[in-house]
Amino acid sequence: PPPPPPPPPSQPFNFRIVNPGESHPLRNHWEYLCFIFRRIPPLSDQEVLEAPYLDHLQAPLQPLMDNLESATYEVFEKDDTKYRLYEEAVFQALMDRHVKKEEETEEKEEEEEEEEEEKQEEVKRSKDKKKKKKKIKKANQKEIVIMVVGAGRGPLVRSSLRAASSARRRVHVYAVEKNPNAVVHIQAMLETLDQEQEIFEDGEEGGEEEEEDRKRWSECVTLVNADMRTWQPPCLADILVSELLGSFGDNELSPECLDGAQRLLKADGVSIPVSYTSYLAPVACHAVYNDVKKYGDLEHFETPFVVKLHKHHLLAPPQPCFTFIHPNPRHYQSDPNGNNDKKNNSCSYYDNARAKTLRFVRKAVQGPAIIHGFAGYFESVLYGNVLLSIRPETHSKDMFSWFPIFFPLKEPVAVKEGGVVKVMMWRCGNTRRVWYEWSLAVMEEEKRNAKAKTVALRGVRAARGGGGAEDGKKEGKGEEEEEEEEEEEET
């Protein structure tokens, strides 16, 4: 009997396999293709989401300059992996957090109690146990201030609240967001929670998780519609949480934003993320290069694009490029325009310019290749051992919030086997804007002889004055004797 027709393809193919008929000479081939199609695994949720973006050019987001639309937030909020990693980072920071004032007062109380309890050892042991319990309770009752800068529509706030619940710490969260569209969404959500609370109080059933979420937002969250760089807080933060990373780590101006918000953090405060490093690698991607070339102008060849690279080949493993650490350990820089305010620090200026030269070697076994540009990635340490990465070697599993960034070249560059590629990357900026500059140099692998022949400099001694007679004697000698004497003199 003929095999059943193949199921509908689980991948976005642009062709169909039609039954050729019983007597067709290609009947056996058709049956084998049906067999192959049945073995194709279904696409995962991540692959379905990424399918429309394969090798598709996208302009990088500029959230500092533009207010993102609600649809953009909705796409990013589908990435559960990212928020799970942030929740784990906040949890570890809360567990490691100690308040010095509480410890000092507890130490004084312990000293006074120990003086009174010296005579009674048994009573002292029991009180020591009670003191330890009180210490744990006080640490749990102490309110820790978390500031989520760039809160968006609230997913990072939810992650912070869940982390506080898991760590059993009392927290107060300031959700700072400058985008009025996102603020309106959070306000509408809070109003909906209040209405659900009234319905729940009237006797209707509600989920325990919804009730707990309602309570957390009403008691522990303060919504602030302001720019993190100019907002004056009522208190300083113990933990500063942000999600301002771009495909190249710093290309969405995360360093500039967090430098301006650093004044919101206590001297011993913690920033999440702690650090992030960008990575760069030469790439061959003919399809993406042709899409850039279709624009027909120089501007697009000088623009980095966010691309989910699909038909591409990395010519070498990515190498680290720029690293940023928060809080910024670099010293305060004077603003070249004279806008300095160290008290409010609202116009503080940190020089985040960088320059890096990377060297990639094309092995002879790999053969020649063509470079169409550079692929950029990033790797971030959120806190402790929590790593968030889009670098191919350490990519966070099932995370799709960031695609690689592509730096195109005006003309493709050929690299021979054994060739060396030197990439120069600059991060330039001033108080008004930030931009990248990049270039490359290709050269053949340097091959040096085992022994180089020296070239004698005639008449050096005569020019320095003296030794003319010795030079005259050397004229009659053979070249080998002259070389031996020169080598002895050099040694």
Side-chain angles (χ1 to χ4, degrees):
S10 59
Q11 297 187 3
F13 295 116
N14 296 324
F15 62 91
R16 295 181 62 187
I17 300 176
V18 183
N19 191 340
E22 293 291 337
S23 60
H24 198 281
L26 296 178
R27 175 72 185 187
N28 294 334
H29 297 276
W30 177 79
E31 292 179 359
Y32 185 70
L33 289 175
C34 293
F35 169 75
I36 292 176
F37 267 71
R38 292 192 195 96
R39 295 177 62 88
I40 296 177
L43 291 176
S44 63
D45 295 338
Q46 180 179 352
E47 290 173 334
V48 172
L49 182 67
E50 293 176 350
Y53 302 99
L54 298 179
D55 289 338
H56 178 69
L57 299 176
Q58 301 177 77
L61 297 176
Q62 298 188 27
L64 186 61
M65 182 177 68
D66 303 328
N67 291 325
L68 302 181
E69 298 178 356
S70 182
T72 305
Y73 287 116
E74 188 175 355
V75 173
F76 292 139
E77 289 170 6
K78 294 178 181 178
D79 193 346
D80 296 331
T81 302
K82 175 177 65 175
Y83 297 111
R84 179 177 53 80
L85 292 174
Y86 266 92
E87 181 180 344
E88 177 64 23
V90 175
F91 172 79
Q92 291 187 14
L94 289 172
M95 296 301 292
D96 295 343
R97 189 70 189 160
H98 299 286
V99 182
K100 293 182 179 180
K101 293 183 179 180
E102 287 293 321
E103 291 180 352
E104 292 176 358
T105 54
E106 288 172 5
E107 288 177 0
K108 291 180 181 179
E109 291 176 0
E110 289 177 358
E111 289 177 359
E112 293 176 359
E113 291 178 0
E114 285 177 359
E115 290 177 359
E116 296 176 358
E117 296 169 1
E118 286 179 355
K119 297 179 181 180
Q120 301 176 355
E121 293 181 358
E122 295 180 358
V123 178
K124 182 180 178 181
R125 292 174 184 173
S126 62
K127 286 188 176 182
D128 285 340
K129 294 179 181 179
K130 292 180 181 179
K131 282 186 284 181
K132 290 180 180 179
K133 293 180 180 179
K134 288 181 181 179
K135 190 172 183 180
I136 295 172
K137 289 181 180 179
K138 287 181 180 179
N140 293 338
Q141 292 174 358
K142 176 63 182 177
E143 193 173 72
I144 298 176
V145 178
I146 300 176
M147 289 186 183
V148 180
V149 290
R153 303 200 308 179
L156 283 180
V157 178
R158 294 189 187 91
S159 299
S160 301
L161 293 175
R162 286 195 299 267
S165 178
S166 301
R168 297 182 180 180
R169 296 288 188 269
R170 287 186 58 198
V171 299
H172 190 85
V173 181
Y174 288 89
V176 184
E177 177 57 53
K178 74 173 185 63
N179 187 351
N181 302 326
V183 173
V184 169
H185 178 86
I186 296 178
Q187 290 174 343
M189 182 193 65
L190 295 177
E191 292 177 1
T192 304
L193 292 176
D194 294 339
Q195 293 174 2
E196 292 177 354
Q197 174 67 16
E198 294 176 0
I199 295 172
F200 182 76
E201 291 175 353
D202 291 340
E204 294 190 14
E205 295 182 356
E208 295 181 359
E209 294 182 0
E210 295 178 358
E211 173 62 20
E212 189 176 355
D213 190 28
R214 216 179 285 127
K215 186 177 180 181
R216 290 172 185 168
W217 277 89
S218 60
E219 295 179 358
C220 305
V221 180
T222 300
L223 182 61
V224 180
N225 185 10
D227 192 324
M228 70 182 78
R229 299 169 298 169
T230 57
W231 175 54
Q232 299 302 323
C235 60
L236 296 181
D238 297 288
I239 302 174
L240 190 70
V241 183
S242 64
E243 196 276 282
L244 305 170
L245 298 171
S247 297
F248 201 50
D250 57 272
N251 62 295
E252 293 184 10
L253 306 186
S254 177
E256 285 71 21
C257 293
L258 293 181
D259 288 345
Q262 187 168 317
R263 60 191 176 81
L264 308 176
L265 196 61
K266 291 181 180 179
D268 60 343
V270 175
S271 175
I272 298 176
V274 175
S275 65
Y276 40 92
T277 302
S278 56
Y279 285 79
L280 203 67
V283 63
C285 49
H286 192 269
V288 176
Y289 174 80
N290 282 339
D291 289 342
V292 179
K293 190 176 181 180
K294 288 178 183 178
Y295 287 101
D297 56 13
L298 181 61
E299 180 182 356
H300 287 84
F301 279 107
E302 296 179 347
T303 303
F305 292 94
V306 174
V307 185
K308 175 57 181 176
L309 295 173
H310 180 56
K311 298 176 181 178
H312 75 290
H313 175 65
L314 292 181
L315 304 183
Q319 295 184 14
C321 193
F322 304 138
T323 299
F324 294 89
I325 301 174
H326 299 287
N328 195 337
R330 304 181 70 181
H331 295 292
Y332 179 87
Q333 302 274 340
S334 61
D335 191 332
N337 296 331
N339 300 321
N340 297 306
D341 187 357
K342 289 189 179 181
K343 290 184 178 180
N344 297 328
N345 208 17
S346 58
C347 296
S348 59
Y349 173 74
Y350 292 85
D351 185 11
N352 287 313
R354 298 285 193 277
K356 186 76 172 182
T357 300
L358 304 176
R359 185 176 180 272
F360 301 92
V361 179
R362 182 70 178 174
K363 296 181 181 179
V365 181
Q366 297 173 334
I370 296 177
I371 302 176
H372 295 101
F374 313 113
Y377 309 89
F378 80 89
E379 188 176 82
S380 174
V381 177
L382 296 182
Y383 185 84
N385 60 350
V386 183
L387 183 70
L388 185 147
S389 172
I390 66 169
R391 186 162 68 101
E393 293 85 351
T394 59
H395 198 291
S396 300
K397 187 178 179 181
D398 297 332
M399 189 179 67
F400 52 84
S401 287
W402 293 275
F403 294 154
I405 196 168
F406 175 64
F407 297 92
L409 294 174
K410 289 191 294 183
E411 295 292 340
V413 178
V415 183
K416 297 181 179 179
E417 57 271 15
V420 178
V421 179
K422 287 188 177 181
V423 180
M424 285 74 73
M425 176 66 73
W426 295 269
R427 188 183 194 270
C428 310
N430 51 33
T431 55
R432 297 184 60 187
R433 63 191 67 191
V434 174
W435 67 93
Y436 295 98
E437 297 179 7
W438 60 93
S439 65
L440 86 163
V442 179
M443 60 197 75
E444 294 185 2
E445 187 177 2
E446 297 179 359
K447 297 181 180 179
R448 297 185 178 180
N449 295 328
K451 184 178 181 181
K453 186 176 181 180
T454 59
V455 179
L457 295 177
R458 298 288 183 180
V460 173
R461 291 194 180 92
R464 291 179 180 174
E470 296 179 2
D471 291 339
K473 293 178 182 178
K474 281 189 175 182
E475 291 179 0
K477 297 181 179 180
E479 293 182 359
E480 295 181 358
E481 295 179 0
E482 290 181 2
E483 290 181 359
E484 290 178 359
E485 291 182 2
E486 288 175 0
E487 289 178 358
E488 291 178 358
E489 291 174 0
E490 287 175 0
T491 54

